[in-house]
């Protein structure tokens, strides 16, 4: 049996994740059957599940990848920028439905919640780091503890995700994000 290169394996994994992201976004976790996953990825179930243990493992890997990408932006530019990116190009965030599914499963699936908690820490750590750097630079308000600001930004993010996923992306949401950003800045 010929050896497959690491580049080929990474490309195949990426192909599966891209197709699965579209499938989960369109059909939800429960509706994304193996047949639909095969259609969305263009691969057989054997090829899909060679890379992922099962549908749950595939979904968790997808959620982890999305959390990692968000964490990169949050670390460099802040959580509000993550939200601005969502608002500017909602078509690039077809994982919004996936994020809603994550929220549902966190409430209803203890095993998933345990697995997800370890990986969702990336976004929290990136945002905490960014807030700490902003506070040290004197740009962040100092009358509110960092953990409260983090909770506030997480709440706004969840609300924005819900709004965009429901198809209600009003143009004035940009102004709402301006208000959010202003509300965490230091007032002189």
């Amino acid at each position: 049996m010929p050896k497959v290169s690491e580049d080929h394996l990474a490309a195949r994994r990426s192909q599966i994740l891209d197709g699965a992201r579209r499938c989960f976004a369109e059909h939800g976790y429960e509706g994304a059957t193996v047949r639909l996953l095969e259609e969305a990825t263009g691969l057989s179930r054997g090829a899909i599940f060679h890379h992922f243990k099962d549908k749950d493992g595939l979904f968790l890997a997808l959620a982890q990848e999305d959390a990692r990408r968000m964490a990169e932006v949050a670390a460099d530019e802040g959580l509000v920028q993550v939200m601005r990116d969502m608002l500017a190009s909602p078509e690039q965030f077809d994982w919004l439905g996936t994020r809603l599914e994550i929220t549902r499963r966190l409430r209803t699936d203890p095993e998933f919640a345990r697995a997800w908690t370890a990986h969702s820490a990336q976004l929290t750590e990136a945002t905490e780091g960014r807030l700490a750097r902003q506070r040290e630079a004197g740009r962040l308000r100092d009358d509110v503890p960092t953990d409260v600001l983090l909770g506030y930004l997480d709440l706004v993010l969840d609300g924005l995700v819900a709004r965009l996923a429901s198809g209600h992306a009003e143009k004035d949401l940009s102004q709402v994000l301006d208000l959010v950003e202003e509300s965490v800045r230091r007032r002189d």
Side-chain angles (χ1 to χ4, degrees), residues 52-169:
F52 300 94
K53 178 182 165 191
D54 53 21
K55 180 176 150 181
D56 203 47
L58 174 58
F59 183 79
L60 186 58
L62 179 63
Q64 291 165 351
E65 180 181 274
D66 292 339
R68 180 192 51 74
R69 284 191 283 158
M70 288 175 62
E72 288 173 3
V73 173
D76 294 339
E77 302 173 59
L79 195 56
V80 173
Q81 186 59 48
V82 170
M83 294 183 251
R84 288 187 189 287
D85 290 349
M86 287 179 190
L87 193 55
S89 303
E91 70 282 354
Q92 293 182 8
F93 292 89
D94 53 0
W95 51 265
L96 291 170
T98 302
R99 184 151 170 109
L100 293 175
E101 183 65 26
I102 291 167
T103 302
R104 184 191 72 76
R105 294 194 65 205
L106 287 172
R107 287 191 329 269
T108 61
D109 185 341
E111 186 176 324
F112 178 84
R114 279 190 296 280
W116 175 247
T117 299
H119 299 287
S120 66
Q122 284 180 311
L123 181 57
T124 300
E125 289 170 11
T127 304
E128 285 174 337
R130 169 78 176 177
L131 289 173
R133 289 189 303 278
Q134 292 295 88
R135 183 161 290 193
E136 288 170 11
R139 293 185 201 112
L140 192 67
R141 59 188 296 173
D142 56 7
D143 62 328
V144 178
T146 302
D147 63 324
V148 173
L149 291 175
L150 178 63
Y152 167 65
L153 292 171
D154 280 342
L155 185 62
V156 173
L157 174 62
D158 287 343
L160 180 65
V161 167
R163 179 69 58 98
L164 292 175
S166 69
H168 295 94

